[in-house]
Amino acid sequence: MAKSMDIENSFRTHRPQLVGFCVRMLGDRPLAEDIVQDVFLKACAQANEEPSAAWLYQCARNRCIDHHRRRGKWSRLKALLGRDHRQEGFESELLDKEVGWKILCSLPEKMRAILVLRAYVGLGYSELAEVFDMTTSSVGVLLSRARQKACTLMEKEMQQ
Amino acid sequence: MTPTCPNHQQLSSFHDGELSSVETSRCREHLKSCPVCRDVVSRFAQLDKLVTSAQMPCPVKREASFWQKSLAFVATVGIAVGLLTYFREPPPASQAKVYKFTAQGEDYVISVKGDAYLVSMQMGDTTTTYDQP
């Protein structure tokens, strides 16, 4: 009973941001919601106590990677990016959101995941280290590289 | 960036608040006097904002091309014709009208098709059939 309450609490606390994370990894909200549901089902089946945020994001990330592997890696996202989605009269805010999306799609999976988990979810270095199974100093290096690459892409996008 | 500037990773960690207190104050002091490093850190903040607000682009409804419109028109006409053909009433069977009467003690039965021609005429027991045009 206590275990199911823990999972329920965890579901309520982490679900919105887990879905947001998966949406940014997959570009598909219904699929992201399915994956988050799977993650909590796995948590119910395996965990003996309330699962940590790091465990949940690690599990969600693995599911997203599995999905990309099954779907021929990034082919779907590349197809998405290949299209011209812009329309005259769009609000600049919406274009900013699209720029953010384009930058994320252009990054390798690991860099994208770490940027989203840091900026959107707000995980600290120690939690990120747990998610990516690396040391905190490696997290710093990976984040710095991801930012360097993303900033270059951002400048290119802004110039266009 | 000058040799005295913190490296990219240090600036990134500073942005995340993951530097030690000594390194943080050193970095903060440096940023006061270095516009290049300030620019780098402000870009991190801008990037965070973009990542947080990233949204899938909405698919734009495109105007159908001439060929798509033509194809749609032909398909619509085809379907309409098909439905009309299928559901229209079958043509009435062309049956001959039969008139029976008695004249001068004789019974007559006359079959007339449409208004145009005589099909057969029966007088008593004798039936005469006429060729149809």
Side-chain angles (χ1 to χ4, degrees):
Chain A
M1 186 65 189
K3 181 186 155 188
S4 68
M5 285 293 286
D6 286 345
I7 302 275
E8 201 179 317
N9 283 338
S10 178
F11 186 78
R12 281 199 189 133
T13 314
H14 297 294
R15 190 186 170 278
Q17 282 194 313
L18 265 170
V19 171
F21 167 66
C22 291
V23 166
R24 280 160 180 78
M25 294 300 287
L26 300 166
D28 186 335
R29 182 164 285 275
L31 182 64
E33 284 174 355
D34 285 352
I35 282 183
V36 171
Q37 204 160 319
D38 279 355
V39 168
F40 279 102
L41 283 175
K42 197 180 172 190
C44 284
Q46 287 188 355
N48 293 319
E49 53 194 22
E50 187 178 337
S52 68
W55 186 89
L56 290 171
Y57 285 105
Q58 191 180 35
C59 194
R61 183 182 163 233
N62 289 341
R63 293 286 164 113
C64 293
I65 293 171
D66 286 349
H67 176 79
H68 279 306
R69 280 195 188 128
R70 278 201 300 272
R71 298 293 300 249
K73 292 190 178 172
W74 306 104
S75 58
R76 221 168 132 236
L77 290 168
K78 276 181 186 164
L80 246 175
L81 284 174
R83 286 186 231 153
D84 182 16
H85 295 285
R86 297 195 177 186
Q87 193 178 31
E88 274 179 42
F90 253 37
E91 297 294 323
S92 62
E93 191 193 343
L94 195 58
L95 285 176
D96 273 358
K97 287 174 181 174
E98 288 191 21
V99 168
W101 177 251
K102 267 193 165 185
I103 291 168
L104 283 179
C105 288
S106 309
L107 289 172
E109 185 277 330
K110 213 171 188 179
M111 288 185 173
R112 185 208 301 216
I114 203 162
L115 273 184
V116 174
L117 288 174
R118 176 67 210 143
Y120 173 71
V121 183
L123 295 189
Y125 279 24
S126 53
E127 284 171 307
L128 288 172
E130 223 179 303
V131 173
F132 290 90
D133 196 20
M134 51 172 67
T135 60
T136 47
S137 56
S138 302
V139 166
V141 173
L142 182 59
L143 253 175
S144 166
R145 283 182 188 159
R147 281 189 173 131
Q148 218 161 1
K149 192 161 188 175
C151 283
T152 313
L153 290 166
M154 187 169 71
E155 274 167 39
K156 271 187 198 167
E157 281 296 326
M158 296 301 185
Q159 279 167 7
Q160 277 174 11
Chain B
M1 281 173 122
T2 62
T4 54
C5 289
N7 63 31
H8 195 275
Q9 193 190 328
Q10 281 171 322
L11 289 174
S12 170
S13 299
F14 171 78
H15 172 71
D16 291 325
E18 295 276 347
L19 285 180
S20 66
S21 55
V22 178
E23 284 173 317
T24 304
S25 53
R26 197 184 297 157
C27 207
R28 195 170 286 136
E29 278 303 310
H30 175 80
L31 285 174
K32 281 179 188 167
S33 58
C34 181
V36 181
C37 290
R38 267 206 309 272
D39 186 51
V40 172
V41 176
S42 73
R43 276 174 198 281
F44 292 160
Q46 202 181 349
L47 179 67
D48 282 357
K49 216 171 156 187
L50 283 179
V51 169
T52 308
S53 65
Q55 239 179 35
M56 281 176 284
C58 306
V60 175
K61 280 189 178 177
R62 287 161 193 240
E63 184 75 11
S65 70
F66 171 75
W67 292 111
Q68 284 171 322
K69 282 179 183 170
S70 308
L71 193 67
F73 176 73
V74 169
T76 310
V77 169
I79 290 168
V81 168
L83 286 171
L84 281 173
T85 313
Y86 187 76
F87 287 111
R88 76 173 179 176
E89 285 183 18
S94 50
Q95 285 178 341
K97 287 178 183 173
V98 179
Y99 299 95
K100 290 181 182 176
F101 58 92
T102 307
Q104 296 176 346
E106 290 281 352
D107 290 332
Y108 292 87
V109 179
I110 297 174
S111 301
V112 179
K113 204 166 192 177
D115 297 328
Y117 56 90
L118 195 63
V119 179
S120 63
M121 190 164 77
Q122 189 182 342
M123 288 163 51
D125 296 333
T126 315
T127 303
T128 312
T129 306
Y130 297 90
D131 291 338
Q132 295 187 17

